Amino acid sequence: MSSRLPPRSPSSDPYLHTRRLTSRDRLLLSWLAEHYLLSTRQVTKALFPSDRSARLRLTLLHRIAAVDRFVDTSAAGSTQYLYALGPLGLRLNRDAYHDPDSPTAKPPRSSRDRADRIVGSRKLRHLLGVNDFFTDLLAHARTHPQARLERWWSEQHATDAYGSAGVRPDGHAVWTVGDATVGFFLEHDNGTEPLGRVLAKLRAYERVTEFGPRYPVLFRVPSRGRERNLLDALAGTSARMPIATAGHGTDPAGPVWTLTSDANRLRRLHELPSDHGPHAATNPNRFVRRDPEPPTGQVAHTPL
């Protein structure tokens, strides 16, 4: 790709640079529409073979206004860019979720307004932590041909689908390795809430099992101490859905999950029990596995 691009500026044709977009670019834009933002590191591990190739492509996408970028100032010493949809990206993803702090807020007036809401969100660090979990799964799938992230939904998407039960998961996904397919709800815990409030969330997940799937609820916690306290609080409780815990910084695809009903061994994500629920009108979001598409040479994993 030529590096002799004109300076970024408005064009009389807002779709002029659409032809430059590859299938990988469009996949990235769909993720940014659904999940608000991704860091340079997250984009690299999910989609690119090297830091250099990721930076070059992201620079081009910024120049053609497919993405906006800003320096991550939410972490001390961080100089990496965070990426959100730019004007072209928003035109191609008109149904993007808009405001991480207020899902019912009016749509932003521009891509800059949308980016400003994200940068100023009280959930910024939490959003990055959640998206780090899922891009770790995507990175794992890139080097393990039998692994596939079949579905990756944001908090708002999952809430729209299952919110009648009162749940607000930080994310929902379906993960496949070989013949094993596991759906799950993620609760990304930064240790800022009392354990009582964390445990209270389980009542809503219980209600989901009355009409829909019995997916494991995954609590990803910031420390071993927090995990021990959570496991102690859950000991002896009965629940219709599986509950599992793991720490931040661990490979979510690996043998890191402690199942509260059987805490004597660690399990891989695809080894957790999972039930997609009934084929019924009460379960309209039931996952039905499709045969994987042939690899394109760039991206073999697509969200639903």
Short mmCIF file of all heavy atoms in Angstrom, two decimals, residues 211-266:
data_model
loop_
_atom_site.label_atom_id
_atom_site.label_comp_id
_atom_site.label_asym_id
_atom_site.label_seq_id
_atom_site.Cartn_x
_atom_site.Cartn_y
_atom_site.Cartn_z
N PHE A 211 -35.87 -19.34 30.80
CA PHE A 211 -36.42 -19.27 29.44
C PHE A 211 -35.35 -19.43 28.36
O PHE A 211 -35.69 -19.64 27.19
CB PHE A 211 -37.14 -17.93 29.22
CG PHE A 211 -36.22 -16.73 29.31
CD1 PHE A 211 -35.52 -16.29 28.19
CD2 PHE A 211 -36.07 -16.03 30.49
CE1 PHE A 211 -34.68 -15.18 28.27
CE2 PHE A 211 -35.24 -14.92 30.58
CZ PHE A 211 -34.54 -14.49 29.46
N GLY A 212 -34.07 -19.30 28.73
CA GLY A 212 -33.02 -19.28 27.72
C GLY A 212 -31.87 -20.21 28.05
O GLY A 212 -32.07 -21.30 28.61
N PRO A 213 -30.66 -19.79 27.74
CA PRO A 213 -29.50 -20.66 27.91
C PRO A 213 -29.07 -20.81 29.36
O PRO A 213 -29.39 -19.97 30.21
CB PRO A 213 -28.41 -19.95 27.10
CG PRO A 213 -28.78 -18.51 27.19
CD PRO A 213 -30.29 -18.48 27.16
N ARG A 214 -28.33 -21.89 29.61
CA ARG A 214 -27.65 -22.06 30.89
C ARG A 214 -26.15 -21.96 30.62
O ARG A 214 -25.44 -22.97 30.57
CB ARG A 214 -28.01 -23.40 31.54
CG ARG A 214 -29.47 -23.48 31.94
CD ARG A 214 -29.77 -24.71 32.78
NE ARG A 214 -31.17 -24.77 33.17
CZ ARG A 214 -31.68 -25.63 34.04
NH1 ARG A 214 -30.88 -26.53 34.62
NH2 ARG A 214 -32.97 -25.61 34.34
N TYR A 215 -25.73 -20.74 30.39
CA TYR A 215 -24.33 -20.48 30.10
C TYR A 215 -23.57 -20.20 31.40
O TYR A 215 -24.13 -19.61 32.33
CB TYR A 215 -24.19 -19.27 29.19
CG TYR A 215 -24.62 -19.49 27.75
CD1 TYR A 215 -25.09 -18.42 27.00
CD2 TYR A 215 -24.52 -20.74 27.15
CE1 TYR A 215 -25.47 -18.60 25.68
CE2 TYR A 215 -24.90 -20.92 25.83
CZ TYR A 215 -25.37 -19.85 25.10
OH TYR A 215 -25.76 -20.02 23.79
N PRO A 216 -22.31 -20.60 31.46
CA PRO A 216 -21.52 -20.24 32.64
C PRO A 216 -21.35 -18.72 32.75
O PRO A 216 -21.24 -18.02 31.74
CB PRO A 216 -20.17 -20.93 32.39
CG PRO A 216 -20.13 -21.21 30.93
CD PRO A 216 -21.54 -21.40 30.49
N VAL A 217 -21.36 -18.25 33.98
CA VAL A 217 -21.05 -16.85 34.27
C VAL A 217 -19.59 -16.81 34.71
O VAL A 217 -19.21 -17.47 35.69
CB VAL A 217 -21.96 -16.29 35.37
CG1 VAL A 217 -21.61 -14.83 35.66
CG2 VAL A 217 -23.42 -16.41 34.96
N LEU A 218 -18.77 -16.08 33.98
CA LEU A 218 -17.34 -16.02 34.25
C LEU A 218 -17.00 -14.75 35.00
O LEU A 218 -17.26 -13.64 34.51
CB LEU A 218 -16.54 -16.06 32.94
CG LEU A 218 -16.86 -17.18 31.95
CD1 LEU A 218 -15.91 -17.11 30.76
CD2 LEU A 218 -16.79 -18.55 32.62
N PHE A 219 -16.44 -14.90 36.19
CA PHE A 219 -15.95 -13.77 36.97
C PHE A 219 -14.44 -13.69 36.80
O PHE A 219 -13.72 -14.59 37.23
CB PHE A 219 -16.31 -13.92 38.44
CG PHE A 219 -17.76 -13.69 38.75
CD1 PHE A 219 -18.63 -14.76 38.87
CD2 PHE A 219 -18.25 -12.41 38.91
CE1 PHE A 219 -19.98 -14.55 39.16
CE2 PHE A 219 -19.58 -12.19 39.20
CZ PHE A 219 -20.46 -13.26 39.32
N ARG A 220 -13.99 -12.63 36.14
CA ARG A 220 -12.55 -12.42 35.99
C ARG A 220 -12.14 -11.33 36.98
O ARG A 220 -12.59 -10.19 36.90
CB ARG A 220 -12.22 -11.99 34.57
CG ARG A 220 -10.78 -12.34 34.19
CD ARG A 220 -10.51 -11.99 32.75
NE ARG A 220 -9.29 -12.63 32.28
CZ ARG A 220 -8.49 -12.10 31.37
NH1 ARG A 220 -8.78 -10.92 30.85
NH2 ARG A 220 -7.41 -12.73 30.98
N VAL A 221 -11.28 -11.70 37.92
CA VAL A 221 -11.01 -10.85 39.08
C VAL A 221 -9.55 -10.40 39.09
O VAL A 221 -8.69 -11.04 38.48
CB VAL A 221 -11.36 -11.60 40.39
CG1 VAL A 221 -12.85 -11.92 40.43
CG2 VAL A 221 -10.56 -12.90 40.50
N PRO A 222 -9.25 -9.29 39.80
CA PRO A 222 -7.91 -8.70 39.69
C PRO A 222 -6.83 -9.34 40.55
O PRO A 222 -5.65 -9.02 40.36
CB PRO A 222 -8.16 -7.25 40.13
CG PRO A 222 -9.33 -7.33 41.06
CD PRO A 222 -10.20 -8.42 40.52
N SER A 223 -7.18 -10.21 41.49
CA SER A 223 -6.15 -10.75 42.39
C SER A 223 -6.57 -12.12 42.91
O SER A 223 -7.75 -12.46 42.92
CB SER A 223 -5.91 -9.80 43.57
OG SER A 223 -7.05 -9.76 44.41
N ARG A 224 -5.59 -12.87 43.38
CA ARG A 224 -5.88 -14.18 43.97
C ARG A 224 -6.70 -14.02 45.24
O ARG A 224 -7.58 -14.82 45.52
CB ARG A 224 -4.57 -14.91 44.28
CG ARG A 224 -3.89 -15.51 43.07
CD ARG A 224 -4.72 -16.65 42.47
NE ARG A 224 -4.93 -17.73 43.44
CZ ARG A 224 -5.87 -18.65 43.32
NH1 ARG A 224 -6.73 -18.61 42.32
NH2 ARG A 224 -5.99 -19.62 44.23
N GLY A 225 -6.43 -12.96 46.01
CA GLY A 225 -7.20 -12.74 47.22
C GLY A 225 -8.67 -12.49 46.92
O GLY A 225 -9.55 -13.03 47.60
N ARG A 226 -8.93 -11.68 45.93
CA ARG A 226 -10.31 -11.40 45.53
C ARG A 226 -10.99 -12.70 45.04
O ARG A 226 -12.14 -12.95 45.37
CB ARG A 226 -10.31 -10.37 44.41
CG ARG A 226 -11.69 -10.02 43.83
CD ARG A 226 -12.46 -9.09 44.73
NE ARG A 226 -13.57 -8.46 44.00
CZ ARG A 226 -14.42 -7.61 44.53
NH1 ARG A 226 -14.31 -7.27 45.81
NH2 ARG A 226 -15.41 -7.08 43.83
N GLU A 227 -10.24 -13.52 44.32
CA GLU A 227 -10.81 -14.77 43.82
C GLU A 227 -11.13 -15.71 44.98
O GLU A 227 -12.18 -16.35 45.01
CB GLU A 227 -9.86 -15.44 42.83
CG GLU A 227 -10.45 -16.69 42.18
CD GLU A 227 -9.57 -17.29 41.11
OE1 GLU A 227 -8.37 -16.94 41.06
OE2 GLU A 227 -10.06 -18.11 40.32
N ARG A 228 -10.22 -15.82 45.96
CA ARG A 228 -10.47 -16.70 47.12
C ARG A 228 -11.71 -16.24 47.88
O ARG A 228 -12.54 -17.06 48.30
CB ARG A 228 -9.25 -16.71 48.04
CG ARG A 228 -8.10 -17.58 47.52
CD ARG A 228 -7.06 -17.80 48.61
NE ARG A 228 -6.46 -16.55 49.05
CZ ARG A 228 -5.36 -16.03 48.51
NH1 ARG A 228 -4.75 -16.66 47.51
NH2 ARG A 228 -4.87 -14.90 48.96
N ASN A 229 -11.83 -14.92 48.07
CA ASN A 229 -12.99 -14.40 48.79
C ASN A 229 -14.28 -14.69 48.03
O ASN A 229 -15.31 -15.03 48.63
CB ASN A 229 -12.84 -12.90 49.02
CG ASN A 229 -11.74 -12.56 50.01
OD1 ASN A 229 -11.35 -13.41 50.82
ND2 ASN A 229 -11.23 -11.35 49.95
N LEU A 230 -14.23 -14.57 46.71
CA LEU A 230 -15.40 -14.83 45.91
C LEU A 230 -15.78 -16.31 45.96
O LEU A 230 -16.95 -16.67 46.12
CB LEU A 230 -15.15 -14.39 44.46
CG LEU A 230 -16.30 -14.56 43.46
CD1 LEU A 230 -17.53 -13.80 43.92
CD2 LEU A 230 -15.86 -14.08 42.08
N LEU A 231 -14.78 -17.18 45.85
CA LEU A 231 -15.04 -18.62 45.91
C LEU A 231 -15.59 -19.02 47.28
O LEU A 231 -16.50 -19.85 47.38
CB LEU A 231 -13.77 -19.40 45.60
CG LEU A 231 -13.31 -19.37 44.13
CD1 LEU A 231 -11.92 -19.97 43.99
CD2 LEU A 231 -14.30 -20.12 43.24
N ASP A 232 -15.07 -18.42 48.35
CA ASP A 232 -15.58 -18.71 49.68
C ASP A 232 -17.05 -18.29 49.80
O ASP A 232 -17.87 -18.99 50.40
CB ASP A 232 -14.75 -17.98 50.74
CG ASP A 232 -13.36 -18.58 50.92
OD1 ASP A 232 -13.15 -19.73 50.46
OD2 ASP A 232 -12.50 -17.91 51.51
N ALA A 233 -17.36 -17.13 49.22
CA ALA A 233 -18.74 -16.64 49.30
C ALA A 233 -19.70 -17.51 48.49
O ALA A 233 -20.88 -17.62 48.82
CB ALA A 233 -18.80 -15.20 48.79
N LEU A 234 -19.19 -18.14 47.44
CA LEU A 234 -20.03 -18.97 46.57
C LEU A 234 -20.08 -20.43 47.02
O LEU A 234 -20.90 -21.20 46.51
CB LEU A 234 -19.50 -18.91 45.13
CG LEU A 234 -19.71 -17.58 44.39
CD1 LEU A 234 -18.87 -17.55 43.12
CD2 LEU A 234 -21.19 -17.39 44.06
N ALA A 235 -19.21 -20.80 47.95
CA ALA A 235 -19.14 -22.21 48.37
C ALA A 235 -20.49 -22.66 48.93
O ALA A 235 -21.10 -21.99 49.76
CB ALA A 235 -18.05 -22.39 49.42
N GLY A 236 -20.95 -23.79 48.43
CA GLY A 236 -22.18 -24.37 48.93
C GLY A 236 -23.46 -23.79 48.36
O GLY A 236 -24.55 -24.26 48.67
N THR A 237 -23.33 -22.74 47.52
CA THR A 237 -24.54 -22.18 46.92
C THR A 237 -24.96 -23.04 45.72
O THR A 237 -24.13 -23.64 45.05
CB THR A 237 -24.30 -20.75 46.43
OG1 THR A 237 -23.25 -20.75 45.45
CG2 THR A 237 -23.91 -19.85 47.58
N SER A 238 -26.24 -23.12 45.49
CA SER A 238 -26.75 -23.86 44.34
C SER A 238 -27.22 -22.86 43.30
O SER A 238 -27.85 -21.86 43.62
CB SER A 238 -27.91 -24.77 44.76
OG SER A 238 -28.97 -24.00 45.32
N ALA A 239 -26.91 -23.13 42.06
CA ALA A 239 -27.31 -22.26 40.97
C ALA A 239 -27.61 -23.11 39.74
O ALA A 239 -26.98 -24.15 39.53
CB ALA A 239 -26.20 -21.25 40.66
N ARG A 240 -28.55 -22.64 38.94
CA ARG A 240 -28.89 -23.38 37.73
C ARG A 240 -27.80 -23.27 36.67
O ARG A 240 -27.66 -24.14 35.83
CB ARG A 240 -30.21 -22.84 37.15
CG ARG A 240 -31.43 -23.08 38.02
CD ARG A 240 -32.69 -22.70 37.24
NE ARG A 240 -33.89 -22.81 38.06
CZ ARG A 240 -34.46 -21.80 38.70
NH1 ARG A 240 -33.92 -20.60 38.63
NH2 ARG A 240 -35.55 -21.98 39.42
N MET A 241 -27.05 -22.16 36.70
CA MET A 241 -26.00 -21.97 35.70
C MET A 241 -24.64 -22.18 36.34
O MET A 241 -24.44 -21.93 37.52
CB MET A 241 -26.08 -20.57 35.08
CG MET A 241 -25.73 -19.45 36.02
SD MET A 241 -26.97 -19.15 37.28
CE MET A 241 -26.23 -17.84 38.22
N PRO A 242 -23.67 -22.67 35.58
CA PRO A 242 -22.31 -22.81 36.10
C PRO A 242 -21.71 -21.44 36.41
O PRO A 242 -22.04 -20.45 35.76
CB PRO A 242 -21.56 -23.51 34.97
CG PRO A 242 -22.62 -24.07 34.06
CD PRO A 242 -23.79 -23.16 34.19
N ILE A 243 -20.82 -21.40 37.38
CA ILE A 243 -20.10 -20.18 37.74
C ILE A 243 -18.61 -20.54 37.81
O ILE A 243 -18.24 -21.53 38.43
CB ILE A 243 -20.56 -19.62 39.09
CG1 ILE A 243 -22.08 -19.39 39.08
CG2 ILE A 243 -19.83 -18.32 39.42
CD1 ILE A 243 -22.65 -19.12 40.46
N ALA A 244 -17.77 -19.73 37.17
CA ALA A 244 -16.34 -20.01 37.16
C ALA A 244 -15.57 -18.72 37.39
O ALA A 244 -16.04 -17.63 37.04
CB ALA A 244 -15.93 -20.66 35.84
N THR A 245 -14.38 -18.85 37.94
CA THR A 245 -13.54 -17.68 38.25
C THR A 245 -12.15 -17.87 37.67
O THR A 245 -11.66 -18.98 37.51
CB THR A 245 -13.42 -17.46 39.76
OG1 THR A 245 -12.71 -18.57 40.35
CG2 THR A 245 -14.78 -17.34 40.42
N ALA A 246 -11.50 -16.74 37.36
CA ALA A 246 -10.11 -16.72 36.93
C ALA A 246 -9.57 -15.32 37.17
O ALA A 246 -10.33 -14.37 37.39
CB ALA A 246 -9.97 -17.11 35.46
N GLY A 247 -8.26 -15.17 37.13
CA GLY A 247 -7.64 -13.89 37.40
C GLY A 247 -7.35 -13.09 36.15
O GLY A 247 -7.23 -13.64 35.05
N HIS A 248 -7.23 -11.78 36.32
CA HIS A 248 -6.76 -10.92 35.23
C HIS A 248 -5.37 -11.39 34.80
O HIS A 248 -4.59 -11.91 35.60
CB HIS A 248 -6.64 -9.46 35.70
CG HIS A 248 -7.95 -8.82 35.99
ND1 HIS A 248 -8.06 -7.47 36.26
CD2 HIS A 248 -9.21 -9.30 36.05
CE1 HIS A 248 -9.33 -7.16 36.48
NE2 HIS A 248 -10.05 -8.27 36.37
N GLY A 249 -5.04 -11.18 33.54
CA GLY A 249 -3.70 -11.47 33.06
C GLY A 249 -3.46 -12.91 32.69
O GLY A 249 -2.36 -13.25 32.25
N THR A 250 -4.45 -13.77 32.87
CA THR A 250 -4.30 -15.17 32.48
C THR A 250 -4.88 -15.38 31.09
O THR A 250 -5.70 -14.58 30.61
CB THR A 250 -5.03 -16.09 33.47
OG1 THR A 250 -6.41 -15.71 33.56
CG2 THR A 250 -4.40 -15.98 34.86
N ASP A 251 -4.44 -16.44 30.41
CA ASP A 251 -4.95 -16.77 29.08
C ASP A 251 -6.36 -17.31 29.23
O ASP A 251 -6.56 -18.39 29.76
CB ASP A 251 -4.05 -17.82 28.43
CG ASP A 251 -4.57 -18.29 27.09
OD1 ASP A 251 -5.55 -17.71 26.57
OD2 ASP A 251 -3.99 -19.25 26.54
N PRO A 252 -7.39 -16.57 28.78
CA PRO A 252 -8.76 -17.02 29.02
C PRO A 252 -9.11 -18.33 28.33
O PRO A 252 -10.08 -18.99 28.72
CB PRO A 252 -9.61 -15.86 28.49
CG PRO A 252 -8.74 -15.17 27.50
CD PRO A 252 -7.34 -15.30 28.03
N ALA A 253 -8.35 -18.71 27.31
CA ALA A 253 -8.62 -19.99 26.64
C ALA A 253 -7.98 -21.16 27.37
O ALA A 253 -8.33 -22.31 27.12
CB ALA A 253 -8.11 -19.94 25.20
N GLY A 254 -7.04 -20.89 28.27
CA GLY A 254 -6.25 -21.93 28.89
C GLY A 254 -6.86 -22.52 30.14
O GLY A 254 -7.98 -22.18 30.55
N PRO A 255 -6.12 -23.41 30.82
CA PRO A 255 -6.62 -24.08 32.02
C PRO A 255 -6.52 -23.18 33.25
O PRO A 255 -5.70 -23.39 34.15
CB PRO A 255 -5.70 -25.30 32.14
CG PRO A 255 -4.41 -24.84 31.52
CD PRO A 255 -4.78 -23.90 30.41
N VAL A 256 -7.37 -22.15 33.29
CA VAL A 256 -7.31 -21.15 34.36
C VAL A 256 -8.62 -21.00 35.11
O VAL A 256 -8.68 -20.24 36.09
CB VAL A 256 -6.90 -19.77 33.78
CG1 VAL A 256 -5.51 -19.86 33.14
CG2 VAL A 256 -7.93 -19.26 32.78
N TRP A 257 -9.66 -21.74 34.71
CA TRP A 257 -11.00 -21.51 35.26
C TRP A 257 -11.32 -22.47 36.39
O TRP A 257 -11.19 -23.69 36.23
CB TRP A 257 -12.05 -21.63 34.16
CG TRP A 257 -11.88 -20.57 33.13
CD1 TRP A 257 -11.31 -20.69 31.89
CD2 TRP A 257 -12.24 -19.19 33.27
NE1 TRP A 257 -11.29 -19.49 31.25
CE2 TRP A 257 -11.86 -18.54 32.06
CE3 TRP A 257 -12.86 -18.45 34.28
CZ2 TRP A 257 -12.08 -17.18 31.86
CZ3 TRP A 257 -13.06 -17.09 34.07
CH2 TRP A 257 -12.68 -16.48 32.88
N THR A 258 -11.69 -21.90 37.53
CA THR A 258 -12.14 -22.68 38.67
C THR A 258 -13.66 -22.70 38.69
O THR A 258 -14.30 -21.66 38.83
CB THR A 258 -11.62 -22.07 39.99
OG1 THR A 258 -10.19 -22.05 39.98
CG2 THR A 258 -12.10 -22.88 41.18
N LEU A 259 -14.22 -23.88 38.51
CA LEU A 259 -15.66 -24.05 38.53
C LEU A 259 -16.11 -24.17 39.98
O LEU A 259 -15.61 -25.01 40.74
CB LEU A 259 -16.04 -25.30 37.74
CG LEU A 259 -17.49 -25.48 37.29
CD1 LEU A 259 -17.92 -24.35 36.36
CD2 LEU A 259 -17.64 -26.83 36.58
N THR A 260 -17.03 -23.34 40.40
CA THR A 260 -17.38 -23.30 41.82
C THR A 260 -18.00 -24.61 42.30
O THR A 260 -17.91 -24.94 43.48
CB THR A 260 -18.37 -22.16 42.11
OG1 THR A 260 -19.54 -22.30 41.29
CG2 THR A 260 -17.72 -20.82 41.82
N SER A 261 -18.60 -25.37 41.40
CA SER A 261 -19.19 -26.66 41.79
C SER A 261 -18.16 -27.77 41.84
O SER A 261 -18.46 -28.87 42.31
CB SER A 261 -20.30 -27.04 40.80
OG SER A 261 -19.78 -27.16 39.48
N ASP A 262 -16.95 -27.51 41.36
CA ASP A 262 -15.87 -28.51 41.37
C ASP A 262 -14.55 -27.77 41.35
O ASP A 262 -13.90 -27.63 40.32
CB ASP A 262 -16.00 -29.45 40.17
CG ASP A 262 -14.91 -30.51 40.15
OD1 ASP A 262 -14.21 -30.68 41.18
OD2 ASP A 262 -14.74 -31.17 39.10
N ALA A 263 -14.15 -27.26 42.52
CA ALA A 263 -12.98 -26.38 42.60
C ALA A 263 -11.66 -27.13 42.73
O ALA A 263 -10.63 -26.51 42.95
CB ALA A 263 -13.14 -25.44 43.80
N ASN A 264 -11.68 -28.43 42.52
CA ASN A 264 -10.47 -29.23 42.73
C ASN A 264 -9.54 -29.25 41.52
O ASN A 264 -8.41 -29.72 41.63
CB ASN A 264 -10.84 -30.67 43.10
CG ASN A 264 -11.52 -30.74 44.46
OD1 ASN A 264 -11.15 -30.02 45.38
ND2 ASN A 264 -12.53 -31.61 44.57
N ARG A 265 -10.00 -28.79 40.37
CA ARG A 265 -9.12 -28.76 39.20
C ARG A 265 -9.45 -27.56 38.33
O ARG A 265 -10.58 -27.04 38.36
CB ARG A 265 -9.24 -30.04 38.38
CG ARG A 265 -10.56 -30.24 37.65
CD ARG A 265 -10.58 -31.59 36.95
NE ARG A 265 -11.80 -31.84 36.20
CZ ARG A 265 -11.96 -31.57 34.91
NH1 ARG A 265 -10.96 -31.00 34.23
NH2 ARG A 265 -13.09 -31.84 34.29
N LEU A 266 -8.44 -27.11 37.61
CA LEU A 266 -8.62 -26.01 36.69
C LEU A 266 -9.07 -26.52 35.32
O LEU A 266 -8.63 -27.59 34.88
CB LEU A 266 -7.31 -25.21 36.54
CG LEU A 266 -6.81 -24.53 37.81
CD1 LEU A 266 -5.46 -23.87 37.56
CD2 LEU A 266 -7.81 -23.50 38.32
#
